[in-house]
């Protein structure tokens, strides 16, 4: 039954927000969020205005200071924001810039004599919206001979405009803006240091020759200072990213053109720089427009994807590199070996919204696509060796992706048949009665003999067992195709029930990892305390490290400690898990004049059920080691070093650590 309405909705119900309330009540409309992300973007809006001045050639240093009271200041050495009387508008410019949305000096960028030719600020919103959303905001503007100041509180003017002459020593140009984001507007204003550093670094990348200074005030009042400067812009940035992994020489192309988004619209200017290199290990693609980092891409991203895929595919076909009936490459195959940065500016820009994380200009996408296609075609002809490296690696990426996709599809078929009946049909798997995944434990044991001992010694209510038959595959070196043909591994994955984690971007019917689908509270690796047992344990851990690292991160994988010694007295049997424990127990028995028998513990398969329960399976008395991420990484490193293909690393390891293992070498 509909609720009876008691309120009226009529002509008097419509209201309009005025002044600062237009932003203070709805900050997310301007900044994309009323939380920390929106607060961060308000800072970016102020920095953007200083960047626009520097781009026009006014000032080469921009300083941002983050104070420990959460206030921020941005200082530049540009022309200074005009704050005085505006004859045309018959209002003060401080009011237009800081108290009026859609007012500013960047609406006629395409016109001759415009204050700004290329600018990040376009809409006349940023400075005003940031002022409106601040607890307080002060601005100082230097024009070379005068200092003009204005203050605001909670979005409203606080006092009158102040103007004074500058002394000869004070004379300078630029703007200093100091404000504190308002907690009445944003839910969080504690902007982390990393945001400021990342934002300023990105600005320096696309503003070659401009120095960005970041000052961070510690809680004790002291300041730490960092500088970001790239003399050659994106070329220097690519060199920094690639380091010594670059396989080919960095190439940079420059485009300067003009065009229009629609036939009946006016032309506008576009400039664009594109730099790229190839790396087998580092993959970075970043797009910038008028200094804004295009996190969501848009026109430049579409151009890069279209042009690189088209040009490389065309070249591969021309050279006959494809196998018969082989599918063509995709951009995923290209980006897996590409480090590429684009830096473009235009006199007219269509941003997806005020946060400027994507642009939608049709002309920019079309012009960049045509330009990149042409440049790549020339590049392939003029740089045959580098081109061959790029083409070869793209083909390798493509075929690796297809192999991995096939493996995933096969694995999907294998693992999705793992219902209760299929699980119970796994060879020699011993299930338990409980169906509660928060109680059930899976023991992975070494061989059939250990299976028998554990089966007789367990609690059948919640403890299940699967034996490892023979040596497990080395998953660190094997291909996915080989891994998922291994019966032991596939059986184990079926039992776990949570899918598998495979790195890499692969389309198609994959097996998603789902921690909530895991059927066990603990997965316990239980092997003998000898060389064979250690190797089997290492191989199993390596499998988890590569295929199911989240289970390790979540603390679901354990190692059951097996006792090294049995110490039998007339009345009891004691167990020592290491040499110090053996010494401690025997010393105590010697002190009490008790007779005892000391013997090396048998393998798991020779243990009596009662002993298995007491030492290995009873939650009250067993010893389990939870495997950490660091443990797994160390295990994988040792395994890769000793059994991998890096001979130099193996020799170095033996040289450094071989002495530690001399006592295990047979004496002849």
């Amino acid at each position: 039954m509909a609720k009876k309405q008691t309120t009226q909705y009529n002509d008097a119900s419509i209201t309009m927000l005025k002044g600062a309330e237009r932003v203070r009540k709805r900050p997310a409309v301007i900044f994309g969020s009323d939380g920390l992300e929106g607060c961060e973007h308000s800072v970016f809006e102020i920095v953007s205005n200083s960047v626009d001045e520097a781009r026009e050639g006014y000032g080469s240093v921009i300083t941002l200071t983050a104070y420990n009271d959460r206030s921020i200041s941005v200082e530049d050495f540009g022309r200074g924001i005009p704050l005085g009387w505006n004859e045309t508008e018959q209002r003060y410019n401080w009011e237009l810039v800081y108290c009026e949305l859609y007012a500013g000096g960047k609406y006629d960028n395409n016109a001759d004599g415009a204050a700004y030719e290329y600018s990040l600020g376009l809409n006349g919103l940023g400075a005003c919206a940031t002022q409106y959303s601040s607890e307080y905001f002060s601005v100082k503007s230097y024009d070379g001979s005068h200092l003009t100041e204005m203050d605001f509180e909670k979005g409203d003017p606080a006092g009158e405009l102040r103007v004074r002459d500058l002394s000869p020593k004070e004379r300078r140009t630029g703007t200093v803006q100091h404000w504190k984001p308002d907690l009445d507007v944003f839910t969080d204003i504690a902007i982390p240091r990393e945001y400021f550093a990342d934002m300023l670094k990105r600005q320096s990348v696309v503003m070659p020759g401009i120095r960005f200074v970041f000052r961070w005030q510690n809680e004790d009042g002291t300041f730490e200072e960092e500088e970001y400067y790239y003399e050659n812009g994106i070329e220097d940035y690519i060199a920094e990213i690639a380091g010594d992994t670059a396989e080919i020489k960095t190439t940079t192309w420059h485009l300067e053109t003009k065009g229009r988004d629609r036939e009946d619209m006016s032309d506008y200017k576009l400039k664009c720089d594109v730099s790229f290199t190839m790396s087998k290990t580092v993959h970075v693609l970043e797009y910038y427009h008028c200094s804004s980092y295009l996190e969501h891409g848009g026109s430049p991203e579409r151009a890069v994807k279209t042009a690189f895929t088209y040009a490389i595919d065309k070249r591969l076909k021309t050279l006959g590199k494809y196998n018969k009936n082989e599918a063509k490459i995709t951009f995923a195959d290209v980006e897996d070996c590409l480090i590429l940065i684009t830096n473009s500016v235009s006199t007219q820009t269509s941003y997806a919204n005020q946060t400027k994380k994507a642009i939608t200009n049709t002309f920019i996408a079309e012009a960049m696509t045509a330009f990149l296609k042409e440049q790549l075609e020339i590049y392939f002809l003029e740089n045959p060796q580098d081109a061959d490296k790029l083409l070869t690696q793209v083909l390798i990426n493509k075929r690796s992706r297809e192999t991995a996709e096939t493996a995933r599809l096969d694995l999907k078929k294998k693992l999705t048949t793992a219902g209760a009946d299929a699980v119970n049909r796994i060879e020699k798997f011993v299930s338990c009665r409980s169906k509660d995944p928060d109680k059930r434990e899976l023991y992975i044991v070494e061989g059939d003999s250990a299976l028998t001992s554990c089966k007789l010694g367990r609690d059948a209510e919640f403890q299940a067992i699967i034996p490892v038959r023979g040596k497990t595959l080395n998953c660190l070196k094997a291909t996915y195709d080989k891994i998922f043909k291994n019966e032991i591994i596939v059986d184990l994955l079926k039992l776990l029930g949570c899918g598998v984690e495979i790195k890499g971007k692969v389309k198609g019917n994959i097996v998603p990892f789902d921690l909530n689908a895991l059927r066990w509270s603990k997965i316990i690796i239980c092997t003998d305390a000898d060389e064979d047992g250690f190797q089997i344990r290492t191989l199993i851990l390596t499998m988890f490290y590569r295929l199911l690292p989240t289970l390790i991160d979540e603390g679901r994988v354990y190692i059951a400690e097996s006792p090294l010694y049995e110490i039998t007295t007339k009345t009891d049997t004691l167990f020592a898990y290491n040499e110090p424990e053996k010494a401690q127990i025997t010393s105590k028995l010697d002190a009490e004049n008790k007779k005892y028998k000391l013997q090396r513990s048998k393998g798991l398969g020779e243990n009596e059920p009662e002993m298995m329960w007491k030492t290995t399976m009873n939650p009250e008395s067993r010893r389990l080691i939870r495997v950490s991420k660091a443990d797994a990484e160390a295990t994988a490193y040792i395994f890769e070093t000793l059994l991998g293909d890096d001979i130099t690393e193996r020799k170095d390891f033996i040289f450094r650590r071989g002495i530690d293992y001399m006592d295990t070498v047979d004496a002849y």
Side-chain angles (χ1 to χ4, degrees):
M1 184 176 179
K3 181 180 178 181
K4 184 178 180 179
Q5 300 297 318
T6 57
T7 58
Q8 292 184 340
Y9 182 65
N10 52 34
D11 288 338
S13 302
I14 306 300
T15 61
M16 181 179 72
L17 293 176
K18 304 176 183 67
E21 296 302 296
R22 290 175 291 178
V23 174
R24 293 180 69 84
K25 285 188 176 294
R26 297 290 187 271
V29 173
I30 301 295
F31 302 121
S33 164
D34 63 356
L36 184 62
E37 185 178 358
C39 184
E40 291 171 342
H41 188 75
S42 71
V43 177
F44 178 66
E45 291 288 354
I46 300 299
V47 172
S48 298
N49 291 329
S50 296
V51 168
D52 287 342
E53 277 290 283
R55 182 181 291 106
E56 294 297 315
Y58 301 102
S60 59
V61 178
I62 296 171
T63 300
L64 184 150
T65 303
Y67 295 94
N68 57 20
D69 66 350
R70 303 301 182 189
S71 67
I72 302 126
S73 75
V74 174
E75 178 182 16
D76 65 49
F77 296 87
R79 290 167 287 186
I81 296 176
L83 300 175
W85 181 256
N86 187 318
E87 282 290 339
T88 303
E89 298 294 338
Q90 289 294 296
R91 295 171 70 182
Y92 278 96
N93 280 321
W94 65 257
E95 186 179 4
L96 295 174
V97 173
Y98 291 107
C99 296
E100 193 66 65
L101 297 172
Y102 296 101
K106 303 173 183 176
Y107 287 109
D108 298 316
N109 292 13
N110 227 14
D112 292 335
Y116 296 90
E117 184 173 24
Y118 301 100
S119 66
L120 176 54
L122 292 176
N123 304 318
L125 296 174
C128 176
T130 300
Q131 189 282 113
Y132 275 162
S133 62
S134 299
E135 183 180 325
Y136 62 81
F137 193 106
S138 68
V139 55
K140 296 180 180 181
S141 179
Y142 299 84
D143 66 3
S145 57
H146 302 91
L147 167 62
T148 308
E149 300 179 79
M150 189 67 194
D151 298 319
F152 305 87
E153 289 182 8
K154 298 284 186 179
D156 294 322
E160 301 294 325
L161 185 71
R162 306 184 300 281
V163 182
R164 71 173 177 85
D165 292 337
L166 293 172
S167 68
K169 289 185 178 180
E170 293 178 303
R171 284 175 187 169
R172 55 160 291 189
T173 61
T175 305
V176 181
Q177 297 167 89
H178 184 199
W179 77 100
K180 183 177 181 180
D182 198 341
L183 267 173
D184 291 339
V185 177
F186 300 108
T187 60
D188 188 356
I189 63 169
I191 299 176
R193 182 173 182 169
E194 292 74 22
Y195 170 77
F196 294 113
D198 182 65
M199 183 262 290
L200 292 176
K201 179 174 182 176
R202 289 186 185 281
Q203 292 302 306
S204 67
V205 164
V206 291
M207 292 291 292
I210 305 301
R211 194 173 306 277
F212 289 79
V213 180
F214 173 41
R215 300 174 70 242
W216 173 265
Q217 187 177 34
N218 298 309
E219 292 302 317
D220 63 2
T222 59
F223 286 90
E224 295 181 45
E225 189 171 297
E226 299 175 49
E227 287 191 5
Y228 303 96
Y229 178 82
Y230 290 86
E231 184 175 355
N232 301 304
I234 59 177
E235 283 191 13
D236 289 349
Y237 184 45
I238 281 190
E240 177 183 287
I241 293 172
D244 58 1
T245 72
E247 299 283 338
I248 60 177
K249 181 180 68 177
T250 298
T251 297
T252 301
W253 297 317
H254 179 73
L255 167 67
E256 219 172 310
T257 185
K258 61 171 57 177
R260 59 187 68 184
D261 291 324
R262 206 173 60 203
E263 275 302 314
D264 58 336
M265 300 177 77
S266 301
D267 284 351
Y268 59 88
K269 298 177 184 177
L270 168 67
K271 291 182 180 180
C272 179
D273 290 317
V274 180
S275 286
F276 76 93
T277 188
M278 187 197 98
S279 170
K280 295 179 181 179
T281 55
V282 182
H283 319 133
V284 175
L285 289 92
E286 293 180 2
Y287 309 95
Y288 296 84
H289 189 77
C290 290
S291 294
S292 182
Y293 170 49
L294 302 181
E295 185 179 345
H296 301 151
S299 300
E301 181 182 34
R302 291 200 303 275
V304 167
K305 287 184 174 181
T306 301
F308 271 78
T309 305
Y310 170 84
I312 293 175
D313 171 63
K314 181 180 178 181
R315 188 64 177 170
L316 288 170
K317 288 177 179 175
T318 301
L319 297 177
K321 296 282 188 177
Y322 283 126
N323 295 328
K324 187 177 181 181
N325 299 323
E326 184 176 9
K328 71 176 187 178
I329 62 161
T330 68
F331 186 69
D333 308 318
V334 179
E335 68 178 335
D336 272 351
C337 61
L338 203 61
I339 301 174
L340 178 144
I341 313 294
T342 72
N343 181 23
S344 54
V345 294
S346 61
T347 53
Q348 181 175 308
T349 307
S350 298
Y351 288 101
N353 52 42
Q354 178 63 16
T355 57
K356 302 182 176 77
K357 294 182 179 179
I359 65 172
T360 59
N361 298 63
T362 303
F363 165 66
I364 292 177
E366 292 174 348
M368 285 185 64
T369 300
F371 172 72
L372 290 174
K373 284 182 179 179
E374 180 183 4
Q375 293 302 311
L376 281 166
E377 189 169 347
I378 297 170
Y379 174 80
F380 292 149
L381 295 174
E382 294 182 347
N383 303 272
Q385 291 184 334
D386 283 357
D388 185 63
K389 289 181 181 179
L390 178 61
L391 296 174
T392 300
Q393 190 59 45
V394 170
L395 266 184
I396 290 172
N397 293 345
K398 170 189 174 294
R399 289 162 182 166
S400 298
R401 172 181 58 82
E402 290 171 343
T403 299
E405 185 171 347
T406 301
R408 287 191 185 193
L409 292 171
D410 291 344
L411 185 60
K412 178 78 172 179
K413 294 176 183 177
K414 292 178 180 179
L415 298 190
T416 50
T417 60
D421 290 340
V423 166
N424 289 328
R425 287 199 299 270
I426 291 175
E427 185 181 355
K428 297 186 179 180
F429 168 62
V430 179
S431 189
C432 58
R433 291 190 293 269
S434 175
K435 304 299 180 185
D436 186 352
D438 293 329
K439 295 180 180 178
R440 290 154 49 101
E441 299 177 348
L442 178 64
Y443 273 77
I444 304 173
V445 303
E446 179 185 351
D448 292 345
S449 58
L451 169 66
T452 302
S453 296
C454 289
K455 180 178 178 181
L456 295 175
R458 69 179 177 139
D459 186 330
E461 177 62 28
F462 66 94
Q463 292 176 327
I465 309 165
I466 180 173
V468 173
R469 305 176 298 280
K471 292 291 192 294
T472 307
L473 183 70
N474 176 7
C475 290
L476 207 60
K477 295 181 63 178
T479 63
Y480 285 128
D481 184 53
K482 189 173 182 180
I483 288 172
F484 299 128
K485 287 179 180 177
N486 185 281
E487 186 179 355
I488 297 172
I489 292 173
V490 172
D491 283 350
L492 184 55
L493 292 173
K494 285 182 182 180
L495 288 176
L496 297 176
C498 57
V500 66
E501 299 174 83
I502 300 179
K503 295 179 181 179
K505 297 178 181 179
V506 176
K507 296 179 181 179
N509 190 19
I510 65 171
V511 183
F513 174 79
D514 182 6
L515 182 62
N516 294 324
L518 181 66
R519 300 190 179 105
W520 314 93
S521 63
K522 291 182 177 67
I523 301 139
I524 302 166
I525 303 169
C526 186
T527 62
D528 288 339
D530 57 19
E531 286 80 359
D532 285 342
F534 291 149
Q535 185 178 9
I536 291 171
R537 178 198 300 177
T538 300
L539 287 163
I540 295 172
L541 279 177
T542 303
M543 183 205 73
F544 278 103
Y545 176 73
R546 183 173 184 192
L547 301 181
L548 294 163
T550 298
L551 297 189
I552 294 174
D553 294 344
E554 293 293 324
R556 298 299 189 95
V557 182
Y558 295 79
I559 293 171
E561 272 200 277
S562 302
L564 282 177
Y565 297 98
E566 297 175 36
I567 305 167
T568 307
T569 68
K570 188 174 181 180
T571 58
D572 198 5
T573 299
L574 305 172
F575 302 99
Y577 289 79
N578 51 51
E579 292 292 341
E581 284 190 9
K582 180 192 78 170
Q584 184 181 11
I585 294 172
T586 55
S587 295
K588 183 179 179 182
L589 293 175
D590 288 337
E592 295 173 353
N593 292 317
K594 287 188 179 181
K595 292 183 178 181
Y596 59 86
K597 180 182 179 182
L598 173 66
Q599 64 179 10
R600 186 84 178 190
S601 183
K602 309 179 188 73
L604 294 175
E606 302 175 50
N607 289 342
E608 296 294 329
E610 183 179 350
M611 177 184 170
M612 284 299 301
W613 170 249
K614 183 176 181 180
T615 63
T616 311
M617 311 197 79
N618 183 356
E620 300 297 324
S621 58
R622 70 188 178 188
R623 295 192 189 182
L624 298 183
I625 302 170
R626 176 180 283 179
V627 179
S628 69
K629 184 177 181 180
D631 294 332
E633 288 175 347
T635 298
Y637 167 73
I638 294 295
F639 210 70
E640 176 65 16
T641 300
L642 297 181
L643 298 181
D645 298 324
D646 192 336
I647 298 174
T648 302
E649 176 68 13
R650 179 157 57 249
K651 286 182 177 179
D652 181 63
F653 180 86
I654 293 171
F655 177 77
R656 288 182 291 106
R657 301 288 306 278
I659 191 66
D660 299 338
Y661 304 94
M662 288 301 294
D663 60 344
T664 65
V665 178
D666 291 334
Y668 291 99

